[in-house]
Amino acid sequence: MSKVGRVVLVGAGPGDPDLLTVKAARLIQAAEVVVYDRLVSPEIMALIAPAAERIYAGKALGHHHLVQDEINALLVDLAQAGRDVVRLKGGDSFMFGRGSEEALHLARHGIAFEVVPGISAAAGCSSYAGIPLTHRGLATGVQFVPGHLREGHRLDLDWDKLADPDTTLVIYMGLHSLPETSTQLIAAGLPADTPAAAIENGTTPRQRRVVGTLATLVELTRAAKLQAPTLIVIGRVVSLADELDWFSGGGQDTEGPSK
């Protein structure tokens, strides 16, 4: 009977290779086949052995190199051909990474798999931007939501629940939908002067951080010409960004009024 391979879903974290878990770094360096996403940083891609096969499965706004069903089928086909595969995904595979969908597909096809967690973009990028997700007296909780827009569709979010001044709101892939996000949150009652930040390429030498308010962040990001990947953080904790800024020497800041 021919050997069936296995698939390891590896979270690559937000970009800084030093933030990889020991297990993730070991698996990446020893990989035979790596199926990787667009958000895996060049520094982490450089850890892959030259002899390893690299298969790009990235997605960008309005353009998917492979659609999700094709990625699912690819992983099964590789494993059934006896290949051991590292499925490398930015951040954490189970945090808006569709890793659970891939794991379910593998499980339902009898393919052995393992999940190696990664530091999520919310935790990594906010820390490198000097923004704690919770802080006594400023935020008692955190809400994580996706902000990507499907073509022809508006964001399907409960704005009344998200407009909580005691909670930090973290929006993944939220740059292009930021105008709608700002308008809807203000309409739902979140004060327009709520501190807000956008973090591009967080944790990498290319990091740029824009700090303003819910009302000003759209124009600030446009003026700075921020590009994806950009994480949006909204809440009173952003008011600490200047005092807790420890990383701006490794990147760039475009500051607006943060208070």
Side-chain angles (χ1 to χ4, degrees), residues 53 76 79 90 97 103 109 113 118 131 133 189 196 200 226 254:
E53 181 179 359
V76 169
H109 284 77
F113 68 91
I131 301 170
L133 293 179
E200 176 192 88
L226 294 194
T254 303

Side-chain angles (χ1 to χ4, degrees), residues 129-155:
I131 301 170
L133 293 179
T134 63
H135 186 86
R136 186 172 57 178
L138 296 179
T140 57
V142 189
Q143 299 189 76
F144 305 110
V145 297
H148 61 276
L149 292 168
R150 289 187 300 160
E151 192 170 338
H153 295 270
R154 301 185 66 177
L155 287 176

Side-chain angles (χ1 to χ4, degrees), residues 200 208-210 218-227 252-255:
E200 176 192 88
R208 292 197 295 158
R209 184 191 73 166
V210 170
V218 171
E219 288 306 317
L220 289 171
T221 57
R222 287 173 178 166
K225 298 181 180 179
L226 294 194
Q227 302 291 325
Q252 302 175 36
D253 279 358
T254 303
E255 297 291 346

Side-chain angles (χ1 to χ4, degrees), residues 56-115:
Y56 179 61
K59 301 188 184 83
L61 185 66
H63 177 72
H64 292 178
H65 187 74
L66 294 176
V67 298
Q68 190 61 51
D69 287 346
E70 291 173 328
I71 296 172
N72 295 345
L74 172 65
L75 297 176
V76 169
D77 289 346
L78 288 168
Q80 288 179 340
R83 313 291 296 277
D84 289 328
V85 181
V86 166
R87 174 67 172 111
L88 191 58
K89 302 172 77 69
D92 179 82
S93 300
F94 279 9
M95 179 68 81
F96 302 126
R98 303 189 74 171
S100 55
E101 295 177 39
E102 295 174 10
L104 279 171
H105 191 79
L106 293 168
R108 290 168 181 172
H109 284 77
I111 304 299
F113 68 91
E114 185 177 348
V115 180

